[in-house]
Amino acid sequence: PRPAPPISSASPGVMALQRSDSMASGSSVIIAAEELRQRYVRHLGRDDGRDFQTNAHKMTSQNLANALKAKLSANCKCDTGPCGLKAGQAASSQKLHGHNRITPPKRENPWVKLMKLTFTGVFNVLLWSCVAAEVALIVFYQEEVKEGQPEKEADFVTPSLLSFVIVSAALLQWYTEMQAEALLDSLTAMQSKKQVRVVRQKDDGSRDEKNLDPDELVPGDVIFLEAGMKIPADVRIVYCADETQVDNSALTGESMPEVRTTVPASEDTPAPSATNLAFFGTSVLQGSATGVVFATGDCTMLGKIASAIAGGRTKSTLEVQIEHFVHTIAGVAVAVGLLSLWANLSSPIPRQPQQILENAASALFAQVPEGLLPTVTISLLIASQQMEKRNVLIRKLDAIETLGCVSIICSDKTGTLTSGEMTATDVVLPDGTRYTIDELMQLQSEAPATSTELLTCGLLNNGAKVEGSTAHGQAAMQRLHSKSSMAANEWTETWKLIGSPTEVAILRASIDVLGGSHVWHDMRVKYPTKFEIPFNSDNKWMLTVHAPQDVAYKADKRPYKVIVKGAPERVLDLCDRCGVQDMTPDLRRRIDTMLQELMSEGRRVLCLATKTVQLPAGHGFEGSKLDNLNFDLKTGLSFCGLIGIEDPPKEGVREAVAAAHQAGVRVIMVTGDHPETAKAIARRLGIAPEENDKFTAVTGSQIDKMMPNGDDFLGEEQDAAIMDFWHTCVTKTCVFARVSPIHKQVIVQAYQQLGGREGTGEVVAMTGDGVNDAPALKQAQVGLAMGIRGTDVAKDAADIVLLDDNFASIIQGMEQGRLAAVNLQKSIMYTLCSKIPQVAPTFAELLGVPQALKVTHVLLVDIGTDIVTAIAYALQASEADLMHSVPRPMSERLVGWKVLMYSYGYFGWMQMACCWATFFLVPGIQDLMSVPSEEWTAEEELVDVRGMTAYYWALVAGQLAAAVCTTTKSQSLFSYGLPNGALNVCIVFEVALALAAVYWAPMQGMFQTASLGWQSIALPVGLALVLCLVEEARKAIVRPSGGKPGY
């Protein structure tokens, strides 16, 4: 049973708590645990058991501690005095929540799994039935030999070869599935194993500080975090040093460090975005902190993700198609086998039981495409190598065909649709004019002086740093300090900026516009920083004070330059001047208008203002907010301008989105970003329409109210309001913003179960890079992980990895996937063409026709030649522009009635006619029809062997014609050209193998063939050419109907 969730989620017992017999026993520990459970519900609400939810980030530190019955010191640092849980409380919490570890998944014994893959499933049962029938024939045959019947060699080739094919296919599938289990191993590896410093209280109330194993932590424990530690549970930060940073990349995929604070978050802040929480599996980069554990084990964010991943994977479209195809072929094969059995039993010609069994087994066997699974697997392997050239790495082979069927792409924004790097793009100056950074760089010395002032303030009031990392970089640093100029390429090649994304964006723009890298050093020397108030959520601004070095001043007073940068609404309220003039209502309205314009375009906007104050030299600056500063900031502050920052769209993404739309694929943005920012980027990329609809963008808070009952939309009865909401979402919504990991999974489920024509469902691809994306990646039919920014867990959960993290690569991969599906369809169609001529001899025997084909000949065609030729279709070029048509609907079968009609009702019959024509023209064959086989002489038996060989050779020639004809569906071979080089080589190989079977003595003995005259060799070749001409006529007829490839 799942342990009861802590503060992050009330347990199922919250909803309907029933005391067990052990609770009723009066155990003080269990009673205390029961009280804790009720306390959690009262203070922190309830949970749906599926998503990660908590109120811990919205509570003050003391309120949280009270809810958990933990004691904090007055300053919350907890470095002295009694703090944390009492021993009895910790024991109760341990009883309630269990150990702090993620429940490992239940795994099937690998050998049992291999046995199931080998011996179960409709297709395998059918193949093993053929093996059993062949073995039974050998047993019957051996019994006949003991009774003195004419001695013949038993056929061990057929059952041995077929068994090898079955076991090989099972081993390949088993290996693939074993590799996939690495996903949950990666999650387990994220759990900390090092001991954690914890403070608790002894029973007498005294301080008890000790090191504990991470799995002994319970909600309410007060722990100490230091740089380099892996965070052992979900923790609420109650105290931290300045600039304490955590690395959440293992969880979110975002590589930038994140600063932690202790300030309670607002009501609308989702837990994953809260700066006062630290999550299980992430790590501390710098600084130190004191935290209160509020969730452990399966109830942490990582635990919820692990629970979501533990379920079964959604079947790929190829799995569904192959399953349908196998059931169809199995039905046909069994029906043909039973029909043959009935015909043999009803025949006026008396037959031995082993003959009846042999005929029925041969009829069934002839309809089974023994080489199907190896053909599909190896064809997909070839396609995967071709896709890798397009920066698309295939981890699960069946995803290739599924990618071609995708009708919905749910894409993350940051790093996939956008560059993943914040960039300053625009400035608004005090007079209300707007410039792009590129325009200012082009203007250079002609740029307005106010723009220089604005960017100088942006450079000085900035926490980002310049860092060089190579010997060449150190030499460049020396030149930088000596104020020598540096080339632009030297800057980009040898330097990097370290700091928050926003600060780096402003610093990079300032350096680019102001003249190069040396400006950074010049300004730092010219305006040394004397005082600083870092940005915090209370002030919403950052303040720096600088002492200009190039101005004269009196002994008692000197000028100081004060710069404020922060949220526009806060900084503008402090400004009573705008540039060199007073701030008037008209100027303020103009600035507000430009501010709204930037924000509507998805920019994050910062406002900068400055003033000069005259204070004594060496003045000791103090204060942390507007009310306690020891210098005046309430008057004289002048507005410098606005800087617009964004994570810009990647180059080529807009064109890729347009290509997706042209191919009938919708692109949906799924992001944790602000809805307005997400909508602006979506409009620029062509994902969202310009007109606004209330369902254009849906937020996580809206989804929270409309979560489905149960695990999906089909398992339990859903409220009408929930279904109406999601039906509207899957048809109208273009952007899902502020979403959690489980929201992403539900969004994918909605498209899969409620989308598509008449609600038949969509085929969904999902992109992601963090552990938090793993549930959605696994839920989607195609999970696409980022190769550069992606975490190991995301890559393990995904079917495909984008090596260049580029959305455009998805579209290229989709085109290759569609081509792979078309070629696979042609390959199967080619393979099935031989089934009619393979089964015909079994029924012809009932009419007195001599045996025309043996099971070994069928195997020689199906496995010896057809597999290799069928695989070569994977290299076939497209005969049409596949990206100008809609994806194949889920209801349309890869092997539908048109394919079956072509193979079984058209080309197969022509092949059969050619085979019989060749067979009956073998000298002496027709004479055998009047003599019972038991009375044949050795010469007559040799004639029958020649007839069978001729039939086999004609079948091979017919398959050569099929290989050529099925390379196109409607395009003439005279315009398309010969098949690809690999297929040409395979055709030559097929001819060589067939001729070896006819003329080479060792193969003659193994497959019971005999040498043929040139007439028997030439006739099938001529008939094969006739088949090709007939097929050209058919293609000429179907082309005018629209030219769309198809049958």
Side-chain angles (χ1 to χ4, degrees), residues 910-924:
M910 292 196 297
Q911 273 193 5
M912 182 185 70
C914 294
C915 290
W916 283 126
T918 305
F919 177 78
F920 283 115
L921 289 176
V922 172

Side-chain angles (χ1 to χ4, degrees), residues 436-493:
T436 66
I437 295 297
D438 289 340
E439 288 172 342
L440 291 178
M441 291 178 67
Q442 292 172 2
L443 290 171
Q444 294 184 354
S445 60
E446 298 178 8
T450 49
S451 69
T452 302
E453 173 68 4
L454 171 63
L455 293 172
T456 298
C457 290
L459 184 148
L460 295 173
N461 185 292
N462 199 301
K465 299 176 182 178
V466 180
E467 183 179 281
S469 57
T470 66
H472 178 55
Q474 295 300 327
M477 176 65 90
Q478 293 174 4
R479 294 198 298 279
L480 180 62
H481 284 189
S482 64
K483 305 183 184 181
S484 61
S485 61
M486 292 172 62
N489 68 326
E490 188 173 16
W491 167 264
T492 57
E493 290 175 2

Side-chain angles (χ1 to χ4, degrees), residues 603-615:
R603 308 293 198 273
R604 180 184 178 187
V605 184
L606 292 178
C607 178
L608 285 96
T610 186
K611 69 176 291 186
T612 299
V613 295
Q614 298 290 333
L615 294 170

